[in-house]
């Protein structure tokens, strides 16, 4: 959940800048507002503890002025027995620029000011940390998990998103173990070597399945996640129980597309991610998509690092056409789903994939753009549930 706050003139200094104390106060207000909308502002009091700040590091990225509307997102970075670290990001709504990041370390203390174990209710309020697995190739893969049942389903996010885009599906789909991963370099997945190709991401997913001792899984990928799912289908067929391709395509980039990738790589290298992210935000959603979803997506994109985005752009630029993989899907149940208002990978691309994958089911979701699982979570959840109920 993200919180929007407006900067008022009385919070700014004589030069019109948001002053340092007010910056911290806005971050603090965003934290409490988040609790107010969730477990309640008295969540600590009810548990008999208080979160004492032990260290706070603020990283200012850009000036902020009266009237600016800031979107705050919060994530739990680490959790110990008595302490935890929260990372908050503030993104300016008008240009989607990341303006500041605050990392705060808290210790839970009791009324005698002694550190105490973080109570379960507080852990739940802070949100679960992702699980991580060292893949042994320089990549520590982070993922969220929910549910039980075979075959498990692995969800792969698009560019430049992360595992949190699948939150509604992890909450809603029944009867399967559900795993939403952060691809190499994105979200909470740490990597000492950036992906050189889409195949690298697919091999990471296969390595994760081996580490988790999962012999076969349904692979569900959105957009770039779909490119990875197709690479997985080509390279790790023995591990594939079924394939779900959402808002994606099987074709390679054409010359114009490849030039666009190179231009984005150059811009991100020189100026950072804000420009390309803002340009992408313009094209992502259906007309009716609500502000809350748009804000969540903007905050998620602002979290992606330049390194991860540059690596992914190079990998997407060089990926091959994989319609041939779809023609060879005999015996593998395949679902193809697309938002009717998807402008980045329009429905025609999904229809082409459905023609190639004989027997595939094609679902077109009204009122969704490129991020159908976030824009129309109920419709997409029902389509996935129907599909998964038939997969054994
Ligand atoms: C995505 O959502 O993953 C991107 O739109 C994929 C792409 O740029 O080709």
């Amino acid at each position: 959940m993200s919180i929007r706050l407006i900067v008022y003139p009385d919070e700014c200094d004589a030069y019109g800048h948001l002053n340092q104390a007010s910056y911290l106060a806005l971050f603090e207000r965003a934290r409490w507002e988040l609790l107010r909308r969730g477990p309640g502002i008295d969540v600590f009091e009810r548990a008999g503890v208080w979160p004492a700040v032990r260290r706070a590091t603020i990283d200012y990225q850009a000036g902020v002025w009266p009237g600016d509307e800031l979107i705050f997102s919060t994530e739990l970075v680490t959790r110990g027995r008595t302490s935890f670290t929260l990372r908050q990001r503030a993104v300016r709504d008008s240009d989607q620029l990341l303006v500041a990041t605050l990392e705060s370390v808290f210790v839970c203390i009791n009324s005698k000011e002694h550190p105490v174990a973080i109570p379960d209710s507080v852990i739940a309020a802070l949100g679960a940390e992702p699980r991580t697995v060292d893949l042994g190739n320089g990549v520590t893969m982070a993922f969220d998990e929910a549910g039980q049942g075979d075959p498990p389903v692995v969800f792969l996010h698009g560019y430049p998103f992360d595992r949190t885009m699948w939150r509604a599906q992890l909450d809603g789909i029944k009867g399967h173990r559900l795993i939403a991963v952060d691809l190499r370099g994105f979200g909470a997945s740490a990597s000492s070597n950036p992906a050189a190709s889409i195949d690298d991401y697919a091999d990471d997913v296969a390595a994760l399945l081996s580490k988790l001792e999962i012999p076969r899984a349904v692979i569900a990928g959105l957009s770039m996640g779909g490119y990875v799912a197709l690479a997985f289908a080509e390279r790790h067929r023995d591990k594939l129980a079924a394939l779900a391709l959402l808002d994606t395509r099987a074709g390679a980039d054409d010359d114009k597309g490849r030039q666009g990738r190179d231009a984005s790589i150059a811009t991100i290298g020189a100026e950072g991610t804000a420009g390309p992210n803002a340009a992408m935000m313009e094209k992502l959603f259906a007309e009716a998509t609500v502000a809350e979803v748009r804000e969540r997506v903007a905050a998620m994109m602002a979290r992606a690092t330049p390194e991860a985005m540059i690596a992914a752009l190079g990998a997407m630029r060089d990926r091959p056409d994989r319609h041939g993989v779809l023609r060879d899907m005999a015996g593998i149940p395949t679902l193809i789903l697309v938002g009717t208002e998807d402008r980045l990978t329009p429905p025609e691309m999904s229809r082409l994939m459905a023609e190639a994958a004989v027997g595939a089911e094609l679902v077109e979701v009204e009122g969704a753009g490129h991020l159908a699982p976030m824009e129309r979570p109920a419709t997409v959840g029902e389509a996935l549930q129907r599909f998964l109920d038939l997969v054994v």
Side-chain angles (χ1 to χ4, degrees):
M1 194 192 304
S2 55
I3 304 294
R4 301 175 83 95
L5 296 174
I6 294 182
V7 176
Y8 292 112
D10 66 315
E11 293 166 320
C12 298
D13 61 22
Y15 301 99
H17 271 102
L18 177 63
N19 69 45
Q20 201 179 346
S22 302
Y23 231 133
L24 280 169
L26 279 182
F27 272 109
E28 182 144 6
R29 197 174 338 141
R31 283 202 302 272
W32 286 112
E33 181 61 25
L34 195 69
L35 291 178
R36 188 187 71 76
R37 295 192 198 175
I41 222 154
D42 57 348
V43 61
F44 294 103
E45 212 178 316
R46 279 186 271 131
V49 298
W50 185 251
V53 184
R54 286 289 185 258
R55 192 171 58 242
T57 313
I58 191 160
D59 196 6
Y60 299 102
Q61 317 263 353
V64 171
W65 314 92
D68 279 353
E69 193 163 359
L70 303 184
I71 306 168
F72 291 85
S73 61
T74 305
E75 71 181 309
L76 179 65
V77 186
T78 57
R79 195 185 83 210
R81 201 180 71 81
T82 61
S83 64
F84 60 91
T85 305
L86 289 184
R87 184 181 301 132
Q88 291 177 272
R89 287 182 170 82
V91 171
R92 183 169 37 218
D93 186 37
S94 57
D95 54 5
Q96 298 300 316
L97 192 68
L98 176 69
V99 292
T101 311
L102 175 68
E103 207 159 288
S104 319
V105 180
F106 298 86
V107 174
C108 274
I109 54 172
N110 62 15
S111 56
K112 297 197 173 83
E113 304 215 352
H114 294 151
V116 288
I118 311 171
D120 286 350
S121 55
V122 170
I123 290 172
L126 293 171
E129 289 163 89
R131 272 187 72 185
T132 53
V133 166
D134 181 353
L135 299 184
N137 59 352
V139 178
T140 301
M141 201 164 209
F143 58 97
D144 286 334
E145 241 189 315
Q148 283 178 347
D150 283 326
V153 187
V154 178
F155 292 96
L156 307 177
H157 60 81
Y159 163 96
F161 313 126
D162 60 42
R163 68 186 194 287
T164 63
M165 64 155 287
W166 299 107
R167 204 172 280 160
Q169 284 68 42
L170 258 62
D171 286 345
I173 293 171
K174 304 289 171 230
H176 293 265
R177 180 176 177 188
L178 308 168
I179 298 170
V181 306
D182 279 332
L183 294 171
R184 191 190 289 210
F186 287 93
S189 281
S191 162
S192 56
N193 52 325
S197 67
I198 290 292
D199 294 355
D200 282 348
Y201 296 120
D203 293 352
D204 287 348
V205 175
L208 178 72
L209 292 183
S210 301
K211 292 272 177 191
L212 297 178
E213 298 182 0
I214 295 174
R216 285 163 72 246
V218 181
I219 305 294
L222 178 128
S223 200
M224 181 179 80
Y227 310 159
V228 178
L230 283 168
F232 185 98
E234 184 177 87
R235 297 167 69 81
H236 303 284
R237 178 63 62 97
D238 55 322
K239 293 183 188 297
L240 184 66
L243 187 65
L245 299 168
L246 297 90
D247 294 301
T248 190
R249 58 183 149 170
D253 280 5
D254 57 15
D255 283 347
K256 192 163 161 246
R258 279 191 281 268
Q259 280 158 17
R261 305 281 190 204
D262 286 336
S264 297
I265 290 172
T267 306
I268 294 171
E271 297 161 20
T273 62
N277 283 355
M280 193 168 175
M281 274 294 285
E282 299 286 311
K283 301 182 210 140
L284 279 178
F285 305 104
E287 211 176 321
T289 297
V290 295
E292 198 193 327
V293 170
R294 293 170 190 253
E295 285 165 18
R296 256 188 75 201
V297 173
M300 187 165 53
M301 290 169 76
R303 287 199 292 266
T305 64
E307 296 74 26
M309 286 175 61
I310 286 172
L313 284 164
M316 290 193 288
R317 178 196 58 207
D318 299 336
R319 75 187 193 285
D321 182 295
R322 285 202 158 103
H323 282 100
V325 177
L326 285 170
R327 278 186 213 105
D328 184 28
M329 288 298 286
I332 306 280
T334 302
L335 171 71
I336 295 167
L337 182 148
V338 63
T340 55
E341 294 177 52
D342 185 342
R343 281 179 283 162
L344 291 176
T345 46
E348 305 85 74
M349 293 184 167
S350 285
R351 290 178 205 138
L352 273 181
M353 289 195 295
E355 270 170 36
V358 178
E361 181 188 350
L362 174 64
V363 176
E364 300 195 16
V365 180
E366 294 289 336
H370 188 59
L371 279 166
M374 295 182 76
E375 299 176 80
R376 295 282 160 195
T379 314
V380 172
E382 278 161 29
L384 281 170
Q385 186 76 64
R386 259 198 328 271
F387 174 67
L388 292 169
D389 286 347
L390 297 175
V391 177
V392 283

